[in-house]
Amino acid sequence: MVNQTNNFFQEEAAISKISVVYWSQTGNTEAMAEAVGAGIAKAGKEADVVEVSSASMEDLKAAKVFALGCPAMGAEVLEEMETIALFGSYGWGDGQWMRDWEERMTAAGATVLNGEGLICQETPDDDAIKQCEELGEQLAQNA
């Protein structure tokens, strides 16, 4: 019985975490992911900031909310979501990659938090970090 109880609490703890999944080539999107996670924690929830190769698709499919971040690469795809926050950095263009990603996620059935993703050009400055933290707080409120 103790094992079953411990398993229940471990599963509940895993479910209560809000995943912030990212891929970062230069470290810019990783910095944004850490700030989103800080915002989630500031809102009183537990964040699980994880690089995409370590993310659990099963956890994401079961999640009520989560955040995804990647730089402008053109292959931002995930299926079967509820409420998600999108964020990422770019070094060229005007953010069209994010608008395209938002459209694909909406078409896949997701609700994009705030109706749009959060982007910054190159390395996130203090204002971008603050916006990421605020995004994390908003995501936590939707959990």
Side-chain angles (χ1 to χ4, degrees):
M1 182 68 173
V2 172
N3 251 354
Q4 290 176 336
T5 302
N6 286 342
N7 288 342
F8 171 78
F9 287 117
Q10 288 172 348
E11 289 172 15
E12 284 296 306
I15 291 171
S16 68
K17 287 184 183 179
I18 298 174
S19 294
V20 179
V21 180
Y22 72 92
W23 181 79
S24 186
Q25 185 173 0
T26 62
N28 294 336
T29 304
E30 180 179 11
M32 294 176 78
E34 293 295 340
V36 171
I40 290 168
K42 187 175 179 182
K45 302 284 183 171
E46 187 174 357
D48 185 20
V49 180
V50 61
E51 204 271 335
V52 69
S53 64
S54 300
S56 164
M57 284 303 295
E58 292 306 312
D59 288 349
L60 293 179
K61 286 179 182 180
K64 182 178 176 187
V65 299
F66 58 88
L68 295 175
C70 77
M73 300 297 286
E76 301 80 16
V77 178
L78 194 65
E79 300 175 4
E80 299 178 25
M81 299 143 285
E82 288 196 29
T83 300
I84 60 171
L86 300 176
F87 64 92
S89 63
Y90 65 101
W92 48 268
D94 68 350
Q96 183 61 46
W97 64 274
M98 179 58 78
R99 292 187 294 277
D100 293 343
W101 195 16
E102 293 160 359
E103 285 180 27
R104 286 194 304 272
M105 297 301 96
T106 300
T111 299
V112 177
L113 190 64
N114 298 325
E116 63 183 3
L118 175 61
I119 60 175
C120 77
Q121 191 167 19
E122 303 293 346
T123 303
D125 59 13
D126 290 342
D127 185 52
I129 293 295
K130 182 179 180 205
Q131 290 177 25
C132 289
E133 290 176 357
E134 290 169 355
L135 184 69
E137 289 180 57
Q138 292 170 345
L139 190 63
Q141 292 169 359
N142 281 275

